[in-house]
Amino acid sequence: MQLSRSLTGAIFLTFALGLLLSSTTNAHNITKILAKHPEFSTFNHYLTITHLADEINRRETITVCAVDNAATGAAPGSTGFVNVTDLKGGKVGFGAEDNDGKLDATFVKSLQEIPYNISVIQISKILPSPEAEAPTPAPNELNLTSIMSKKGCKVFSDMLIATGAIDTFYDNADGGLTVFCPLDSVITDFAPKYKNLTAEKKVSLLLYHGIPVYESMPMLKSNNGLMNTLATDGANKYDFTVQNDGEVVTLKTKIVTARIVGTLIDEQPLAVYTINKVLLPRELFKAALTPAPAPAPEAEAPKDADSPTAPEPFAPDSEPEDQTASDQNGSVRSKGGILVAVVLSVWLGAFMSV
């Protein structure tokens, strides 16, 4: 049975329309949109670990107000309503509904717009809300340093205390803290390079080993990608990439790849893991990225005037070697032509006689 052209066209159109509709069911992915803008990596990270990204992706029409990594403020959540007000001079203000009408943030720019689907915009500040505050107790200094000291990370713990970097770790512990601690043997081998750093760079290096988010081992395995650190500050990215291969979790900088080899503590809001290498940020060790120049070719030793030299090959004056070879080739070709002619003559004679 054959189908008419109109029926075939209708079936094809229905099939194509089905593909179109299926491809637009999930028309936006907030994590992929924000991944194009590295300055929003912290905001993107929190959307992932709180599972808000999935909720955003399920909405057919939504506007996301994002803040960049430089934005500060305490905003654990909100009651769910935002006051948007058109201000003078073309500005737009944003404020939490339960904030007594105060507009804490203003519109900065649009990151991406998909008509009738999703709009991602940048606002200047986090929108605070006392309704959602849920403070968690920070680990005290004695617990953190003693845990590291008793379980193979005493040298790293001593460095944190000596430089004062430990204070930054505790300042960020309220919202969760994850520390990647190089083992004592690793730090000992790295000591000569560490001593050559300035005091400021030593602090940056130590802060590079902490992230201001609680990350359990299952979370690290599922949330692969770029991670900001305690050293991240505006243009100074100081980030690294978390990757996993089955049960193995690695931390990859532009210079070195370290592997998590143990867990000292994993109790929210604190996680401390041991690693087999010191994390080296490119911001401090750019020289390691520059390939060494190729060695210059050795100059030829000057020839000794008295040293014997190999005699030049002798060629007769009557005829150059290349000319002789050419003549010989010519003779071969000539003889070959005569031979072919003789064979053809014999064959033709035999044919005529028949």
Side-chain angles (χ1 to χ4, degrees):
M1 181 179 65
Q2 294 183 344
L3 298 177
S4 65
R5 288 187 178 182
S6 59
L7 182 57
T8 303
I11 293 175
F12 176 79
L13 181 60
T14 303
F15 178 73
L17 183 60
L19 289 179
L20 178 62
L21 291 177
S22 63
S23 65
T24 57
T25 301
N26 295 320
H28 62 265
N29 185 313
I30 185 62
T31 56
K32 289 185 178 180
I33 292 174
L34 291 176
K36 301 175 184 177
H37 306 273
E39 66 272 23
F40 293 88
S41 59
T42 299
F43 184 81
N44 197 13
H45 176 68
Y46 277 111
L47 288 182
T48 301
I49 65 174
T50 58
H51 305 290
L52 286 175
D54 296 333
E55 183 64 26
I56 292 172
N57 293 338
R58 280 196 293 266
R59 300 295 182 94
E60 293 184 2
T61 303
I62 190 170
T63 298
V64 180
C65 299
V67 290
D68 62 15
N69 299 338
T72 59
S78 70
T79 55
F81 293 93
V82 176
N83 179 16
V84 182
T85 303
D86 188 6
L87 304 176
K88 295 180 179 180
K91 292 185 177 181
V92 178
F94 296 82
E97 183 68 21
D98 57 346
N99 201 24
D100 297 327
K102 184 179 179 182
L103 301 176
D104 299 286
T106 56
F107 173 83
V108 177
K109 64 181 179 181
S110 174
L111 301 181
Q112 185 165 339
E113 298 175 7
I114 302 177
Y116 310 108
N117 198 303
I118 186 172
S119 176
V120 183
I121 64 174
Q122 179 185 356
I123 60 175
S124 59
K125 291 177 61 178
I126 293 174
L127 301 179
S129 174
E131 289 290 332
E133 291 183 359
T136 54
N140 58 54
E141 183 172 347
L142 177 62
N143 288 340
L144 180 56
T145 56
S146 62
I147 287 172
M148 291 191 291
S149 298
K150 293 178 181 179
K151 298 186 178 181
C153 290
K154 185 178 186 307
V155 180
F156 184 76
S157 175
D158 292 343
M159 287 178 172
L160 292 178
I161 297 173
T163 59
I166 191 68
D167 295 334
T168 304
F169 279 76
Y170 294 131
D171 290 342
N172 288 269
D174 287 341
L177 177 68
T178 302
V179 183
F180 301 100
C181 175
L183 293 167
D184 286 344
S185 58
V186 175
I187 292 287
T188 301
D189 294 338
F190 180 72
K193 293 182 180 179
Y194 180 78
K195 291 179 180 178
N196 290 332
L197 296 175
T198 64
E200 182 180 359
K201 290 182 177 180
K202 287 178 180 178
V203 171
S204 296
L205 176 66
L206 296 175
L207 295 181
Y208 190 60
H209 288 74
I211 58 177
V213 179
Y214 166 72
E215 291 280 357
S216 66
M217 184 57 69
M219 294 168 69
L220 287 173
K221 292 177 181 178
S222 62
N223 295 328
N224 285 192
L226 281 177
M227 289 279 186
N228 286 330
T229 67
L230 296 178
T232 301
D233 181 19
N236 298 321
K237 292 184 178 180
Y238 281 100
D239 53 18
F240 55 74
T241 302
V242 178
Q243 295 179 333
N244 78 289
D245 183 6
E247 297 300 311
V248 178
V249 178
T250 57
L251 313 176
K252 185 177 181 180
T253 76
K254 295 293 183 181
I255 300 174
V256 69
T257 299
R259 177 168 49 89
I260 295 180
V261 294
T263 302
L264 302 188
I265 185 174
D266 185 0
E267 298 177 4
Q268 194 170 3
L270 174 65
V272 181
Y273 305 102
T274 54
I275 54 178
N276 67 338
K277 292 181 182 180
V278 176
L279 299 176
L280 305 180
R282 64 178 177 179
E283 288 82 0
L284 297 180
F285 298 93
K286 291 181 181 178
L289 294 173
T290 306
E298 296 182 0
E300 295 183 0
K303 294 183 179 180
D304 190 350
D306 297 332
S307 62
T309 57
E312 294 181 0
F314 173 78
D317 296 334
S318 58
E319 210 165 22
E321 291 180 0
D322 57 347
Q323 182 64 41
T324 302
S326 176
D327 291 346
Q328 290 176 351
N329 291 338
S331 64
V332 171
R333 286 194 298 270
S334 175
K335 292 177 182 178
I338 296 174
L339 178 62
V340 171
V342 171
V343 172
L344 288 175
S345 299
V346 172
W347 179 83
L348 183 61
F351 178 78
M352 294 294 294
S353 62
V354 176

